[in-house]
Amino acid sequence: MERVVLIRYGEIYLKGQNRPYFERALYDNIRKALAEFPGIRVTRAQGRFYAENYKDEAAVLQALQKVFGLVSVSPAYKVGKDFETLFEYSKKIMTDQLSLLQGREILTFKVESRRSDKKYPMNSMEINREMGGRLLEAVPGLKVDVHHPDVVLNIEIRESGYLYHEILPCAGGMPVGTSGKAVLLLSGGIDSPVAGYMIAKRGVALSAVHFHSFPYTSDRSREKVIDLCRILTRYCGAIRLHVVPFTRIQQELYKKCPDSQLTVLMRCYMMKIAEAVARSEEAAALVTGESIGQVASQTMDSLAVTNAAVSMPVFRPLIGFDKVDIVNVSKKIETYETSILPYEDCCTVFTPRHPVTHPRLEKILESEKRINGEELIQEAVANIEVIGIRPGRNRF
């Protein structure tokens, strides 16, 4: 008898002849997610992955539940597939479940079996019927309920027998790295980490760029973003974080451009620098946490102006989300508590009193001529600090 984790994947079944590519990518991502568990083995057979040879089952399950591309996991017993062995371990599972009852004398159950080994002498219906009857006789306190049971005992007959009663949901989506690469504009707020999570869920690998305005923003605000990045790596895998010195650009804009345009102009220069980073990272798109109408720089007119600042696609996975929706996801992925720490980011520096909400592109372009934008961008890019962050580890 051995404890194993059954690992299921779903959507990549739809990928036809490309399926082996997606399976290999998912296998690699599973191994990376479990790298901190010494000696653990990940194997694949008959449309399943298996994790074996581990000590901390709860920690393994938690790590797997964050891997994009997986739909569910089950802690299971791997046993011999002869019926008597299956019965003995089924009886152990049901007896253990009965011991967990508090003030109840009856535990309802049903048996569901799946037989991949077609040479097995019993079919699925026969296994269900025989196992259910034997358990009713052997374990007092059990009652069959095929519609709403307390426990569903699952039996899978493959190269071995597998017994389990829990099916834990995973993150779903596509394996990270199978849909290309993008650069996430990562602030210290609530929205951008959620945007990164959602785009990575569709298989996009991420690098990140953060704009730091020393001395107006503190080292604590910078560390906050590194912490957010580290949380994201639990889902997205390793991320290269590019910390951009942004103070001089902001100062030049503040001195020479109309106050009402500062927010949009700063946003345009962030996009230009992020695009330069994306090209150096061989990324194909930018990702932001913008949502229509949430702030002045996120009206449709403002978004159109910032789009015009770059030539590559800009993905905005939160574009139609309410703030409550975004907060709920941030709590689910555990970035919320870090995001609300009270350290200012560069977007709150030099904020105009009355920002323009319907900017016209020609006026923004006219204002950009007042500063030496190309030189400032080159200087900022030349002084970028790159921090590599891996899941569950320190920087690399």
PDB file of all heavy atoms in Angstrom, residues 245-268:
ATOM      1  N   PRO A 245      13.600  52.904 -12.660  1.00  0.00           N
ATOM      2  CA  PRO A 245      13.672  54.224 -12.009  1.00  0.00           C
ATOM      3  C   PRO A 245      12.857  55.233 -12.826  1.00  0.00           C
ATOM      4  O   PRO A 245      13.188  55.521 -13.978  1.00  0.00           O
ATOM      5  CB  PRO A 245      15.168  54.551 -12.038  1.00  0.00           C
ATOM      6  CG  PRO A 245      15.710  53.780 -13.212  1.00  0.00           C
ATOM      7  CD  PRO A 245      14.870  52.533 -13.323  1.00  0.00           C
ATOM      8  N   PHE A 246      11.810  55.774 -12.224  1.00  0.00           N
ATOM      9  CA  PHE A 246      10.840  56.575 -12.984  1.00  0.00           C
ATOM     10  C   PHE A 246      10.789  58.035 -12.548  1.00  0.00           C
ATOM     11  O   PHE A 246      10.067  58.832 -13.128  1.00  0.00           O
ATOM     12  CB  PHE A 246       9.456  55.930 -12.839  1.00  0.00           C
ATOM     13  CG  PHE A 246       8.457  56.320 -13.892  1.00  0.00           C
ATOM     14  CD1 PHE A 246       8.731  56.130 -15.232  1.00  0.00           C
ATOM     15  CD2 PHE A 246       7.240  56.868 -13.525  1.00  0.00           C
ATOM     16  CE1 PHE A 246       7.798  56.489 -16.208  1.00  0.00           C
ATOM     17  CE2 PHE A 246       6.308  57.227 -14.486  1.00  0.00           C
ATOM     18  CZ  PHE A 246       6.595  57.033 -15.834  1.00  0.00           C
ATOM     19  N   THR A 247      11.583  58.390 -11.547  1.00  0.00           N
ATOM     20  CA  THR A 247      11.478  59.723 -10.949  1.00  0.00           C
ATOM     21  C   THR A 247      11.768  60.835 -11.955  1.00  0.00           C
ATOM     22  O   THR A 247      11.024  61.824 -12.037  1.00  0.00           O
ATOM     23  CB  THR A 247      12.439  59.847  -9.755  1.00  0.00           C
ATOM     24  OG1 THR A 247      12.221  58.756  -8.867  1.00  0.00           O
ATOM     25  CG2 THR A 247      12.210  61.154  -9.018  1.00  0.00           C
ATOM     26  N   ARG A 248      12.838  60.696 -12.715  1.00  0.00           N
ATOM     27  CA  ARG A 248      13.231  61.790 -13.603  1.00  0.00           C
ATOM     28  C   ARG A 248      12.164  62.060 -14.664  1.00  0.00           C
ATOM     29  O   ARG A 248      11.878  63.217 -14.988  1.00  0.00           O
ATOM     30  CB  ARG A 248      14.570  61.470 -14.276  1.00  0.00           C
ATOM     31  CG  ARG A 248      15.104  62.695 -15.007  1.00  0.00           C
ATOM     32  CD  ARG A 248      16.491  62.522 -15.531  1.00  0.00           C
ATOM     33  NE  ARG A 248      16.836  63.671 -16.360  1.00  0.00           N
ATOM     34  CZ  ARG A 248      17.577  63.630 -17.442  1.00  0.00           C
ATOM     35  NH1 ARG A 248      18.084  62.476 -17.843  1.00  0.00           N
ATOM     36  NH2 ARG A 248      17.840  64.719 -18.124  1.00  0.00           N
ATOM     37  N   ILE A 249      11.563  61.018 -15.195  1.00  0.00           N
ATOM     38  CA  ILE A 249      10.494  61.216 -16.179  1.00  0.00           C
ATOM     39  C   ILE A 249       9.331  61.965 -15.549  1.00  0.00           C
ATOM     40  O   ILE A 249       8.779  62.906 -16.134  1.00  0.00           O
ATOM     41  CB  ILE A 249      10.035  59.867 -16.753  1.00  0.00           C
ATOM     42  CG1 ILE A 249      11.140  59.264 -17.618  1.00  0.00           C
ATOM     43  CG2 ILE A 249       8.748  60.015 -17.558  1.00  0.00           C
ATOM     44  CD1 ILE A 249      10.831  57.880 -18.164  1.00  0.00           C
ATOM     45  N   GLN A 250       8.953  61.567 -14.348  1.00  0.00           N
ATOM     46  CA  GLN A 250       7.846  62.255 -13.679  1.00  0.00           C
ATOM     47  C   GLN A 250       8.175  63.720 -13.424  1.00  0.00           C
ATOM     48  O   GLN A 250       7.325  64.600 -13.598  1.00  0.00           O
ATOM     49  CB  GLN A 250       7.514  61.528 -12.369  1.00  0.00           C
ATOM     50  CG  GLN A 250       6.842  60.182 -12.584  1.00  0.00           C
ATOM     51  CD  GLN A 250       6.503  59.506 -11.277  1.00  0.00           C
ATOM     52  OE1 GLN A 250       7.393  59.126 -10.525  1.00  0.00           O
ATOM     53  NE2 GLN A 250       5.221  59.337 -11.006  1.00  0.00           N
ATOM     54  N   GLN A 251       9.374  63.982 -12.999  1.00  0.00           N
ATOM     55  CA  GLN A 251       9.770  65.371 -12.728  1.00  0.00           C
ATOM     56  C   GLN A 251       9.723  66.215 -13.996  1.00  0.00           C
ATOM     57  O   GLN A 251       9.261  67.367 -13.979  1.00  0.00           O
ATOM     58  CB  GLN A 251      11.165  65.407 -12.115  1.00  0.00           C
ATOM     59  CG  GLN A 251      11.223  64.882 -10.689  1.00  0.00           C
ATOM     60  CD  GLN A 251      12.643  64.745 -10.164  1.00  0.00           C
ATOM     61  OE1 GLN A 251      13.590  64.559 -10.948  1.00  0.00           O
ATOM     62  NE2 GLN A 251      12.809  64.835  -8.856  1.00  0.00           N
ATOM     63  N   GLU A 252      10.209  65.669 -15.101  1.00  0.00           N
ATOM     64  CA  GLU A 252      10.195  66.410 -16.360  1.00  0.00           C
ATOM     65  C   GLU A 252       8.769  66.682 -16.824  1.00  0.00           C
ATOM     66  O   GLU A 252       8.452  67.784 -17.290  1.00  0.00           O
ATOM     67  CB  GLU A 252      10.961  65.625 -17.431  1.00  0.00           C
ATOM     68  CG  GLU A 252      12.464  65.629 -17.246  1.00  0.00           C
ATOM     69  CD  GLU A 252      13.040  67.029 -17.452  1.00  0.00           C
ATOM     70  OE1 GLU A 252      12.904  67.572 -18.551  1.00  0.00           O
ATOM     71  OE2 GLU A 252      13.608  67.564 -16.479  1.00  0.00           O
ATOM     72  N   LEU A 253       7.920  65.686 -16.700  1.00  0.00           N
ATOM     73  CA  LEU A 253       6.516  65.882 -17.077  1.00  0.00           C
ATOM     74  C   LEU A 253       5.857  66.926 -16.192  1.00  0.00           C
ATOM     75  O   LEU A 253       5.088  67.788 -16.668  1.00  0.00           O
ATOM     76  CB  LEU A 253       5.757  64.556 -16.986  1.00  0.00           C
ATOM     77  CG  LEU A 253       6.143  63.471 -18.006  1.00  0.00           C
ATOM     78  CD1 LEU A 253       5.452  62.154 -17.663  1.00  0.00           C
ATOM     79  CD2 LEU A 253       5.783  63.896 -19.421  1.00  0.00           C
ATOM     80  N   TYR A 254       6.151  66.880 -14.895  1.00  0.00           N
ATOM     81  CA  TYR A 254       5.559  67.824 -13.950  1.00  0.00           C
ATOM     82  C   TYR A 254       5.980  69.259 -14.243  1.00  0.00           C
ATOM     83  O   TYR A 254       5.171  70.194 -14.153  1.00  0.00           O
ATOM     84  CB  TYR A 254       5.970  67.429 -12.534  1.00  0.00           C
ATOM     85  CG  TYR A 254       5.383  68.297 -11.444  1.00  0.00           C
ATOM     86  CD1 TYR A 254       4.038  68.189 -11.101  1.00  0.00           C
ATOM     87  CD2 TYR A 254       6.177  69.224 -10.755  1.00  0.00           C
ATOM     88  CE1 TYR A 254       3.493  68.984 -10.096  1.00  0.00           C
ATOM     89  CE2 TYR A 254       5.639  70.015  -9.757  1.00  0.00           C
ATOM     90  CZ  TYR A 254       4.301  69.899  -9.441  1.00  0.00           C
ATOM     91  OH  TYR A 254       3.761  70.685  -8.455  1.00  0.00           O
ATOM     92  N   LYS A 255       7.237  69.432 -14.636  1.00  0.00           N
ATOM     93  CA  LYS A 255       7.760  70.784 -14.893  1.00  0.00           C
ATOM     94  C   LYS A 255       7.242  71.372 -16.203  1.00  0.00           C
ATOM     95  O   LYS A 255       6.983  72.577 -16.299  1.00  0.00           O
ATOM     96  CB  LYS A 255       9.290  70.753 -14.942  1.00  0.00           C
ATOM     97  CG  LYS A 255       9.976  70.493 -13.617  1.00  0.00           C
ATOM     98  CD  LYS A 255      11.488  70.371 -13.842  1.00  0.00           C
ATOM     99  CE  LYS A 255      12.220  69.956 -12.584  1.00  0.00           C
ATOM    100  NZ  LYS A 255      13.672  69.758 -12.845  1.00  0.00           N
ATOM    101  N   LYS A 256       7.086  70.553 -17.240  1.00  0.00           N
ATOM    102  CA  LYS A 256       6.935  71.077 -18.591  1.00  0.00           C
ATOM    103  C   LYS A 256       5.600  70.781 -19.268  1.00  0.00           C
ATOM    104  O   LYS A 256       5.351  71.293 -20.364  1.00  0.00           O
ATOM    105  CB  LYS A 256       8.072  70.534 -19.470  1.00  0.00           C
ATOM    106  CG  LYS A 256       9.456  70.936 -18.981  1.00  0.00           C
ATOM    107  CD  LYS A 256      10.555  70.304 -19.818  1.00  0.00           C
ATOM    108  CE  LYS A 256      11.938  70.710 -19.294  1.00  0.00           C
ATOM    109  NZ  LYS A 256      13.034  70.073 -20.072  1.00  0.00           N
ATOM    110  N   CYS A 257       4.760  69.966 -18.648  1.00  0.00           N
ATOM    111  CA  CYS A 257       3.510  69.584 -19.308  1.00  0.00           C
ATOM    112  C   CYS A 257       2.299  70.030 -18.490  1.00  0.00           C
ATOM    113  O   CYS A 257       2.410  70.241 -17.274  1.00  0.00           O
ATOM    114  CB  CYS A 257       3.466  68.064 -19.511  1.00  0.00           C
ATOM    115  SG  CYS A 257       4.777  67.465 -20.595  1.00  0.00           S
ATOM    116  N   PRO A 258       1.140  70.174 -19.126  1.00  0.00           N
ATOM    117  CA  PRO A 258      -0.063  70.592 -18.407  1.00  0.00           C
ATOM    118  C   PRO A 258      -0.400  69.653 -17.259  1.00  0.00           C
ATOM    119  O   PRO A 258      -0.358  68.423 -17.414  1.00  0.00           O
ATOM    120  CB  PRO A 258      -1.146  70.548 -19.485  1.00  0.00           C
ATOM    121  CG  PRO A 258      -0.413  70.722 -20.773  1.00  0.00           C
ATOM    122  CD  PRO A 258       0.894  70.021 -20.573  1.00  0.00           C
ATOM    123  N   ASP A 259      -0.753  70.233 -16.132  1.00  0.00           N
ATOM    124  CA  ASP A 259      -1.028  69.453 -14.922  1.00  0.00           C
ATOM    125  C   ASP A 259      -2.125  68.425 -15.158  1.00  0.00           C
ATOM    126  O   ASP A 259      -2.015  67.277 -14.709  1.00  0.00           O
ATOM    127  CB  ASP A 259      -1.421  70.395 -13.783  1.00  0.00           C
ATOM    128  CG  ASP A 259      -1.686  69.646 -12.493  1.00  0.00           C
ATOM    129  OD1 ASP A 259      -0.703  69.217 -11.858  1.00  0.00           O
ATOM    130  OD2 ASP A 259      -2.867  69.470 -12.135  1.00  0.00           O
ATOM    131  N   SER A 260      -3.177  68.798 -15.862  1.00  0.00           N
ATOM    132  CA  SER A 260      -4.316  67.895 -16.047  1.00  0.00           C
ATOM    133  C   SER A 260      -3.955  66.647 -16.853  1.00  0.00           C
ATOM    134  O   SER A 260      -4.635  65.633 -16.769  1.00  0.00           O
ATOM    135  CB  SER A 260      -5.464  68.634 -16.731  1.00  0.00           C
ATOM    136  OG  SER A 260      -5.078  69.045 -18.031  1.00  0.00           O
ATOM    137  N   GLN A 261      -2.861  66.718 -17.646  1.00  0.00           N
ATOM    138  CA  GLN A 261      -2.476  65.587 -18.498  1.00  0.00           C
ATOM    139  C   GLN A 261      -1.455  64.652 -17.842  1.00  0.00           C
ATOM    140  O   GLN A 261      -1.088  63.624 -18.428  1.00  0.00           O
ATOM    141  CB  GLN A 261      -1.879  66.108 -19.809  1.00  0.00           C
ATOM    142  CG  GLN A 261      -2.840  66.895 -20.673  1.00  0.00           C
ATOM    143  CD  GLN A 261      -2.171  67.405 -21.934  1.00  0.00           C
ATOM    144  OE1 GLN A 261      -0.976  67.188 -22.161  1.00  0.00           O
ATOM    145  NE2 GLN A 261      -2.933  68.092 -22.776  1.00  0.00           N
ATOM    146  N   LEU A 262      -1.004  64.974 -16.632  1.00  0.00           N
ATOM    147  CA  LEU A 262       0.115  64.232 -16.042  1.00  0.00           C
ATOM    148  C   LEU A 262      -0.159  62.735 -15.929  1.00  0.00           C
ATOM    149  O   LEU A 262       0.704  61.909 -16.244  1.00  0.00           O
ATOM    150  CB  LEU A 262       0.468  64.802 -14.664  1.00  0.00           C
ATOM    151  CG  LEU A 262       1.214  66.136 -14.655  1.00  0.00           C
ATOM    152  CD1 LEU A 262       1.471  66.582 -13.222  1.00  0.00           C
ATOM    153  CD2 LEU A 262       2.522  66.024 -15.422  1.00  0.00           C
ATOM    154  N   THR A 263      -1.355  62.382 -15.479  1.00  0.00           N
ATOM    155  CA  THR A 263      -1.654  60.963 -15.283  1.00  0.00           C
ATOM    156  C   THR A 263      -1.578  60.199 -16.593  1.00  0.00           C
ATOM    157  O   THR A 263      -0.956  59.120 -16.676  1.00  0.00           O
ATOM    158  CB  THR A 263      -3.050  60.790 -14.655  1.00  0.00           C
ATOM    159  OG1 THR A 263      -3.080  61.440 -13.379  1.00  0.00           O
ATOM    160  CG2 THR A 263      -3.380  59.320 -14.458  1.00  0.00           C
ATOM    161  N   VAL A 264      -2.180  60.744 -17.637  1.00  0.00           N
ATOM    162  CA  VAL A 264      -2.171  60.060 -18.925  1.00  0.00           C
ATOM    163  C   VAL A 264      -0.754  60.026 -19.507  1.00  0.00           C
ATOM    164  O   VAL A 264      -0.311  59.007 -20.049  1.00  0.00           O
ATOM    165  CB  VAL A 264      -3.149  60.724 -19.904  1.00  0.00           C
ATOM    166  CG1 VAL A 264      -3.032  60.103 -21.290  1.00  0.00           C
ATOM    167  CG2 VAL A 264      -4.572  60.591 -19.402  1.00  0.00           C
ATOM    168  N   LEU A 265      -0.025  61.126 -19.390  1.00  0.00           N
ATOM    169  CA  LEU A 265       1.340  61.171 -19.910  1.00  0.00           C
ATOM    170  C   LEU A 265       2.250  60.169 -19.192  1.00  0.00           C
ATOM    171  O   LEU A 265       3.047  59.462 -19.821  1.00  0.00           O
ATOM    172  CB  LEU A 265       1.910  62.584 -19.775  1.00  0.00           C
ATOM    173  CG  LEU A 265       1.394  63.594 -20.805  1.00  0.00           C
ATOM    174  CD1 LEU A 265       1.726  65.014 -20.364  1.00  0.00           C
ATOM    175  CD2 LEU A 265       1.988  63.303 -22.182  1.00  0.00           C
ATOM    176  N   MET A 266       2.138  60.090 -17.871  1.00  0.00           N
ATOM    177  CA  MET A 266       2.934  59.111 -17.128  1.00  0.00           C
ATOM    178  C   MET A 266       2.587  57.699 -17.578  1.00  0.00           C
ATOM    179  O   MET A 266       3.468  56.848 -17.746  1.00  0.00           O
ATOM    180  CB  MET A 266       2.706  59.264 -15.626  1.00  0.00           C
ATOM    181  CG  MET A 266       3.406  60.455 -15.016  1.00  0.00           C
ATOM    182  SD  MET A 266       3.373  60.480 -13.207  1.00  0.00           S
ATOM    183  CE  MET A 266       1.635  60.738 -12.886  1.00  0.00           C
ATOM    184  N   ARG A 267       1.311  57.474 -17.796  1.00  0.00           N
ATOM    185  CA  ARG A 267       0.875  56.152 -18.239  1.00  0.00           C
ATOM    186  C   ARG A 267       1.458  55.822 -19.612  1.00  0.00           C
ATOM    187  O   ARG A 267       1.881  54.683 -19.865  1.00  0.00           O
ATOM    188  CB  ARG A 267      -0.656  56.127 -18.274  1.00  0.00           C
ATOM    189  CG  ARG A 267      -1.249  54.746 -18.313  1.00  0.00           C
ATOM    190  CD  ARG A 267      -1.067  54.036 -17.010  1.00  0.00           C
ATOM    191  NE  ARG A 267      -1.516  52.656 -17.105  1.00  0.00           N
ATOM    192  CZ  ARG A 267      -1.234  51.715 -16.246  1.00  0.00           C
ATOM    193  NH1 ARG A 267      -0.477  52.003 -15.199  1.00  0.00           N
ATOM    194  NH2 ARG A 267      -1.672  50.500 -16.389  1.00  0.00           N
ATOM    195  N   CYS A 268       1.492  56.797 -20.498  1.00  0.00           N
ATOM    196  CA  CYS A 268       2.057  56.571 -21.829  1.00  0.00           C
ATOM    197  C   CYS A 268       3.532  56.183 -21.743  1.00  0.00           C
ATOM    198  O   CYS A 268       3.996  55.272 -22.443  1.00  0.00           O
ATOM    199  CB  CYS A 268       1.894  57.825 -22.688  1.00  0.00           C
ATOM    200  SG  CYS A 268       0.201  58.120 -23.247  1.00  0.00           S
TER     201      CYS A 268
END
